[in-house]
Amino acid sequence: DAEAIEFFLSDLAAFNEATESKVMQSRPLEPEEVSNLPTCRAFTGVGQQVVAKFREDHSGPVQIHCAVLRLPDVTTDILITLNDPHALHQSDPPDVLPAEVTSEVIFARLLKSFRILDWTLFGE
């Protein structure tokens, strides 16, 4: 459990063919942060990768929010990620969202609202 975020961010960096990758923070999630999954063990973290996004000839830093939801009753991990290429370019913020709506706020809302509607997806 202690290395779950590091493991998945490293795996994601390899898949993304990142030229650089680091974990900036990692911590367990509190039960109220994933209140729709009462039996899970959950962890969250933030990483940074340098990857080619959208244009193959240009690499840039991307902040990646990551959550690992461990569901022991069905022996499954769920990985949720949110990429934010704008978080590392504070001098050039996107115009599409109000300033108070950050990727951290969006990710927290996503985790709080995440629920599994059909548990048979994991077998019976």
Side-chain angles (χ1 to χ4, degrees):
D1 285 352
E3 292 88 26
I5 292 296
E6 290 82 0
F7 172 81
F8 283 108
L9 282 173
S10 174
D11 191 49
L12 188 60
F15 181 78
N16 287 341
E17 298 177 359
T19 57
E20 296 176 37
S21 175
K22 65 180 173 180
V23 176
M24 300 167 67
Q25 65 182 26
S26 176
R27 67 175 178 85
L29 281 163
E30 297 298 326
E32 61 271 9
E33 293 178 280
V34 285
S35 56
N36 292 313
L37 298 172
T39 63
C40 83
R41 296 186 321 269
F43 307 89
T44 189
V46 177
Q48 181 177 328
Q49 296 178 7
V50 176
V51 294
K53 296 288 269 184
F54 309 115
R55 296 189 321 219
E56 294 295 325
D57 61 336
H58 175 67
S59 291
V62 176
Q63 187 176 76
I64 300 175
H65 299 270
C66 177
V68 177
L69 309 177
R70 297 210 146 158
L71 305 173
D73 294 345
V74 291
T75 60
T76 297
D77 289 345
I78 295 176
L79 179 67
I80 300 173
T81 63
L82 174 74
N83 296 355
D84 186 358
H86 299 288
L88 303 171
H89 302 286
Q90 298 299 338
S91 61
D92 186 24
D95 295 330
V96 294
L97 295 173
E100 66 274 5
V101 181
T102 64
S103 57
E104 290 82 7
V105 169
I106 292 169
F107 197 64
R109 287 180 186 168
L110 186 152
L111 295 177
K112 181 93 172 153
S113 65
F114 185 83
R115 64 185 75 217
I116 297 169
L117 299 177
D118 184 358
W119 284 89
T120 63
L121 293 170
F122 307 105
E124 294 190 54

